[in-house]
Amino acid sequence: MSQHVLSHALRVPALEKLKNKRIVLASNSPRRKEILRTFGLAPDIVPSTFEEDLDISEFPEPHEYPVATATHKAVEVYEKLVREDPDNPPDLVIGADTVVLTHPQPVTSDTSYSLIPGINQELLENRYLNGQVLYPVLTSPGYTIKSIDERSLVYFADNQRYVLEAYAESGEGIDRAGGFAIQGQAGMLIRKIEGDYNNVVGFPAASFFKLLDLLVDEDPDFLDV
Protein backbone atom coordinates (compact mmCIF):
# COMPACT_ATOMS: atom_id res chain seq x y z
CA MET A 1 0.00 0.00 0.00
CA SER A 2 1.34 3.39 -0.95
CA GLN A 3 2.00 5.99 1.73
CA HIS A 4 -0.95 8.37 1.65
CA VAL A 5 -0.05 10.46 4.71
CA LEU A 6 3.17 12.32 3.96
CA SER A 7 5.91 13.08 6.46
CA HIS A 8 5.12 16.79 6.67
CA ALA A 9 1.47 16.24 7.64
CA LEU A 10 0.49 17.69 11.01
CA ARG A 11 0.34 15.10 13.78
CA VAL A 12 -3.33 15.53 14.58
CA PRO A 13 -5.77 12.71 15.39
CA ALA A 14 -7.59 12.77 12.07
CA LEU A 15 -4.43 12.49 9.99
CA GLU A 16 -2.99 9.87 12.33
CA LYS A 17 -6.15 7.84 11.68
CA LEU A 18 -5.47 7.95 7.95
CA LYS A 19 -2.04 6.37 8.22
CA ASN A 20 -1.89 2.96 6.54
CA LYS A 21 -5.34 3.54 5.06
CA ARG A 22 -6.23 3.45 1.40
CA ILE A 23 -7.31 6.97 0.44
CA VAL A 24 -8.75 7.74 -2.99
CA LEU A 25 -9.49 11.03 -4.71
CA ALA A 26 -12.30 10.57 -7.25
CA SER A 27 -11.00 13.40 -9.40
CA ASN A 28 -8.25 14.01 -11.91
CA SER A 29 -7.97 17.69 -10.98
CA PRO A 30 -4.33 18.68 -10.50
CA ARG A 31 -5.47 21.56 -8.27
CA ARG A 32 -7.27 19.26 -5.83
CA LYS A 33 -4.34 16.86 -5.79
CA GLU A 34 -1.89 19.70 -5.10
CA ILE A 35 -4.01 21.17 -2.30
CA LEU A 36 -4.27 17.82 -0.53
CA ARG A 37 -0.53 17.22 -0.89
CA THR A 38 0.16 20.64 0.64
CA PHE A 39 -1.50 19.43 3.82
CA GLY A 40 0.15 16.03 3.76
CA LEU A 41 -2.28 13.77 1.89
CA ALA A 42 -1.31 11.92 -1.28
CA PRO A 43 -4.38 9.89 -2.27
CA ASP A 44 -4.62 7.44 -5.13
CA ILE A 45 -6.13 9.21 -8.13
CA VAL A 46 -9.10 7.35 -9.57
CA PRO A 47 -11.13 9.77 -11.72
CA SER A 48 -14.87 9.29 -11.70
CA THR A 49 -16.62 8.48 -14.98
CA PHE A 50 -19.93 9.88 -13.78
CA GLU A 51 -21.42 11.92 -16.61
CA GLU A 52 -22.28 14.95 -14.43
CA ASP A 53 -25.57 15.28 -16.27
CA LEU A 54 -27.99 15.87 -13.41
CA ASP A 55 -30.79 18.32 -14.16
CA ILE A 56 -29.83 21.41 -12.18
CA SER A 57 -33.41 22.70 -12.36
CA GLU A 58 -34.46 19.88 -10.02
CA PHE A 59 -32.40 21.32 -7.16
CA PRO A 60 -34.09 24.12 -5.15
CA GLU A 61 -30.79 25.48 -3.80
CA PRO A 62 -27.55 25.97 -5.78
CA HIS A 63 -25.39 24.03 -3.33
CA GLU A 64 -27.56 20.91 -3.63
CA TYR A 65 -26.38 20.30 -7.19
CA PRO A 66 -22.66 19.89 -6.45
CA VAL A 67 -23.52 17.89 -3.32
CA ALA A 68 -25.45 15.40 -5.46
CA THR A 69 -22.84 15.35 -8.22
CA ALA A 70 -19.96 14.79 -5.79
CA THR A 71 -21.95 11.99 -4.14
CA HIS A 72 -22.39 10.21 -7.46
CA LYS A 73 -18.69 10.59 -8.21
CA ALA A 74 -17.57 9.16 -4.88
CA VAL A 75 -20.04 6.27 -4.93
CA GLU A 76 -19.21 5.38 -8.52
CA VAL A 77 -15.48 5.17 -7.76
CA TYR A 78 -15.98 3.28 -4.49
CA GLU A 79 -18.23 0.65 -6.04
CA LYS A 80 -15.87 0.27 -9.00
CA LEU A 81 -12.87 -0.36 -6.75
CA VAL A 82 -14.81 -2.84 -4.60
CA ARG A 83 -15.83 -4.79 -7.71
CA GLU A 84 -12.25 -4.87 -8.97
CA ASP A 85 -10.73 -5.94 -5.65
CA PRO A 86 -13.27 -6.93 -2.97
CA ASP A 87 -10.51 -7.77 -0.50
CA ASN A 88 -8.95 -4.31 -0.71
CA PRO A 89 -11.73 -1.70 -0.64
CA PRO A 90 -10.73 1.94 -0.18
CA ASP A 91 -10.91 3.27 3.36
CA LEU A 92 -11.76 6.81 2.29
CA VAL A 93 -13.02 8.20 -1.03
CA ILE A 94 -13.04 11.94 -1.59
CA GLY A 95 -15.31 13.42 -4.24
CA ALA A 96 -15.76 17.07 -5.14
CA ASP A 97 -17.68 19.31 -7.51
CA THR A 98 -17.89 23.04 -8.16
CA VAL A 99 -20.72 25.34 -9.19
CA VAL A 100 -19.92 28.91 -10.23
CA LEU A 101 -22.76 31.40 -10.28
CA THR A 102 -23.16 34.77 -12.02
CA HIS A 103 -21.69 33.97 -15.42
CA PRO A 104 -20.99 30.94 -17.64
CA GLN A 105 -17.57 29.51 -18.22
CA PRO A 106 -15.98 30.90 -21.41
CA VAL A 107 -15.02 28.56 -24.20
CA THR A 108 -12.80 30.71 -26.42
CA SER A 109 -10.76 33.86 -26.01
CA ASP A 110 -13.18 35.60 -28.36
CA THR A 111 -15.92 35.47 -25.74
CA SER A 112 -14.23 35.05 -22.38
CA TYR A 113 -13.20 38.67 -21.79
CA SER A 114 -16.81 39.83 -21.95
CA LEU A 115 -17.80 37.36 -19.25
CA ILE A 116 -15.31 38.53 -16.64
CA PRO A 117 -16.50 41.57 -14.66
CA GLY A 118 -14.86 44.86 -15.47
CA ILE A 119 -15.43 48.37 -14.17
CA ASN A 120 -18.18 48.65 -11.53
CA GLN A 121 -18.77 44.90 -11.51
CA GLU A 122 -17.51 43.62 -8.21
CA LEU A 123 -19.05 40.30 -7.39
CA LEU A 124 -18.01 37.56 -9.74
CA GLU A 125 -19.21 34.37 -8.21
CA ASN A 126 -20.68 32.30 -5.48
CA ARG A 127 -18.69 29.12 -5.57
CA TYR A 128 -20.07 26.04 -3.91
CA LEU A 129 -17.59 23.24 -3.76
CA ASN A 130 -18.70 20.11 -2.01
CA GLY A 131 -16.17 17.80 -0.46
CA GLN A 132 -17.82 14.42 -0.35
CA VAL A 133 -16.27 11.89 2.03
CA LEU A 134 -17.22 8.25 1.68
CA TYR A 135 -15.88 5.49 3.89
CA PRO A 136 -16.73 1.84 4.64
CA VAL A 137 -18.76 0.75 7.62
CA LEU A 138 -18.60 -2.56 9.45
CA THR A 139 -20.89 -4.13 6.86
CA SER A 140 -18.36 -3.39 4.11
CA PRO A 141 -18.71 -3.19 1.14
CA GLY A 142 -21.37 -0.90 2.51
CA TYR A 143 -20.39 2.73 3.10
CA THR A 144 -21.25 5.92 4.93
CA ILE A 145 -21.36 9.32 3.24
CA LYS A 146 -20.60 12.64 4.89
CA SER A 147 -20.63 15.93 3.03
CA ILE A 148 -19.65 19.56 3.31
CA ASP A 149 -20.35 22.55 1.11
CA GLU A 150 -18.37 25.74 1.10
CA ARG A 151 -19.17 29.13 -0.42
CA SER A 152 -16.52 31.64 -1.42
CA LEU A 153 -17.08 35.06 -2.92
CA VAL A 154 -14.62 36.53 -5.41
CA TYR A 155 -14.50 40.27 -6.10
CA PHE A 156 -12.82 41.58 -9.22
CA ALA A 157 -10.98 44.88 -9.36
CA ASP A 158 -12.02 47.66 -11.75
CA ASN A 159 -10.36 45.98 -14.70
CA GLN A 160 -10.10 47.79 -18.01
CA ARG A 161 -11.32 45.96 -21.10
CA TYR A 162 -7.80 45.61 -22.52
CA VAL A 163 -6.71 43.82 -19.34
CA LEU A 164 -9.59 41.37 -19.60
CA GLU A 165 -8.87 40.82 -23.28
CA ALA A 166 -5.21 40.15 -22.52
CA TYR A 167 -6.18 37.61 -19.87
CA ALA A 168 -8.63 35.90 -22.21
CA GLU A 169 -5.98 35.71 -24.93
CA SER A 170 -3.55 34.07 -22.50
CA GLY A 171 -5.73 30.96 -22.54
CA GLU A 172 -5.28 30.37 -18.81
CA GLY A 173 -9.02 30.43 -18.15
CA ILE A 174 -9.89 27.71 -20.63
CA ASP A 175 -11.39 24.67 -18.88
CA ARG A 176 -11.31 26.42 -15.50
CA ALA A 177 -14.45 26.73 -13.40
CA GLY A 178 -15.51 30.36 -13.82
CA GLY A 179 -13.04 30.91 -16.64
CA PHE A 180 -10.14 32.04 -14.44
CA ALA A 181 -7.36 30.70 -12.20
CA ILE A 182 -6.96 32.78 -9.05
CA GLN A 183 -3.61 31.14 -8.33
CA GLY A 184 -2.31 32.21 -11.74
CA GLN A 185 -2.42 35.34 -13.89
CA ALA A 186 -6.00 36.03 -12.83
CA GLY A 187 -4.67 36.99 -9.41
CA MET A 188 -3.91 40.44 -10.78
CA LEU A 189 -7.58 40.90 -11.70
CA ILE A 190 -9.01 40.17 -8.26
CA ARG A 191 -9.45 42.74 -5.50
CA LYS A 192 -10.43 40.44 -2.65
CA ILE A 193 -12.15 37.21 -1.73
CA GLU A 194 -14.42 36.21 1.13
CA GLY A 195 -14.05 32.63 2.27
CA ASP A 196 -11.54 29.85 1.77
CA TYR A 197 -8.88 30.68 -0.83
CA ASN A 198 -8.24 26.96 -1.45
CA ASN A 199 -11.93 26.53 -2.15
CA VAL A 200 -11.62 29.00 -5.01
CA VAL A 201 -8.56 27.16 -6.32
CA GLY A 202 -10.34 23.83 -6.24
CA PHE A 203 -10.86 22.20 -2.84
CA PRO A 204 -12.19 23.42 0.57
CA ALA A 205 -9.24 22.20 2.61
CA ALA A 206 -10.14 23.85 5.93
CA SER A 207 -13.68 22.48 5.97
CA PHE A 208 -12.51 19.05 4.82
CA PHE A 209 -10.00 18.61 7.63
CA LYS A 210 -12.46 20.00 10.18
CA LEU A 211 -14.93 17.36 9.01
CA LEU A 212 -12.34 14.63 9.56
CA ASP A 213 -11.67 15.99 13.07
CA LEU A 214 -15.40 15.95 13.80
CA LEU A 215 -15.75 12.36 12.61
CA VAL A 216 -12.92 11.27 14.89
CA ASP A 217 -14.44 13.17 17.84
CA GLU A 218 -17.87 11.66 17.27
CA ASP A 219 -16.62 8.12 16.73
CA PRO A 220 -13.28 7.04 18.20
CA ASP A 221 -13.53 3.91 16.03
CA PHE A 222 -13.72 5.93 12.82
CA LEU A 223 -11.93 3.99 10.08
CA ASP A 224 -11.15 1.12 12.45
CA VAL A 225 -12.68 -1.38 10.04
Side-chain angles (χ1 to χ4, degrees):
M1 180 182 297
S2 60
Q3 181 63 42
H4 295 300
V5 179
L6 304 177
S7 60
H8 68 271
L10 296 180
R11 294 185 177 180
V12 295
L15 289 174
E16 291 293 313
K17 277 277 188 178
L18 295 181
K19 288 184 176 179
N20 300 316
K21 300 296 183 181
R22 186 183 183 194
I23 307 169
V24 174
L25 176 62
S27 170
N28 202 33
S29 166
R31 272 81 61 188
R32 290 172 184 152
K33 176 182 176 182
E34 181 180 357
I35 290 169
L36 287 171
R37 287 189 67 91
T38 296
F39 297 102
L41 283 187
D44 291 335
I45 305 300
V46 183
S48 170
T49 58
F50 178 64
E51 293 292 336
E52 301 187 40
D53 56 358
L54 301 177
D55 185 354
I56 196 168
S57 66
E58 295 182 358
F59 297 91
E61 298 294 333
H63 71 277
E64 295 178 3
Y65 176 82
V67 167
T69 299
T71 299
H72 282 286
K73 290 179 180 180
V75 170
E76 186 265 333
V77 167
Y78 178 76
E79 292 181 342
K80 171 178 179 283
L81 294 175
V82 169
R83 286 194 305 270
E84 293 176 349
D85 190 355
D87 295 327
N88 185 32
D91 295 293
L92 192 73
V93 177
I94 305 166
D97 191 55
T98 299
V99 166
V100 177
L101 305 182
T102 299
H103 68 77
Q105 181 172 334
V107 177
T108 68
S109 61
D110 292 335
T111 59
S112 62
Y113 72 84
S114 65
L115 300 176
I116 299 176
I119 297 175
N120 297 323
Q121 291 180 282
E122 287 187 326
L123 181 60
L124 170 65
E125 66 169 20
N126 298 325
R127 169 182 293 244
Y128 292 89
L129 193 149
N130 174 71
Q132 200 71 16
V133 178
L134 180 155
Y135 57 93
V137 295
L138 292 176
T139 55
S140 184
Y143 51 81
T144 295
I145 298 174
K146 300 291 185 180
S147 65
I148 54 176
D149 62 83
E150 184 77 22
R151 186 179 80 163
S152 299
L153 305 181
V154 179
Y155 295 81
F156 270 52
D158 290 341
N159 296 300
Q160 298 290 345
R161 184 185 182 94
Y162 71 85
V163 177
L164 302 180
E165 290 177 341
Y167 181 71
E169 291 170 0
S170 76
E172 181 183 76
I174 301 299
D175 295 328
R176 305 289 183 119
F180 72 98
I182 191 172
Q183 73 277 23
Q185 297 281 7
M188 69 183 294
L189 310 178
I190 294 166
R191 179 166 58 86
K192 70 174 183 177
I193 69 169
E194 294 178 7
D196 184 354
Y197 169 82
N198 284 308
N199 186 42
V200 181
V201 176
F203 190 76
S207 295
F208 171 73
F209 287 106
K210 285 181 181 177
L211 173 62
L212 292 183
D213 285 338
L214 180 62
L215 293 175
V216 171
D217 287 341
E218 291 180 344
D219 181 9
D221 296 327
F222 173 62
L223 291 184
D224 291 340
V225 180

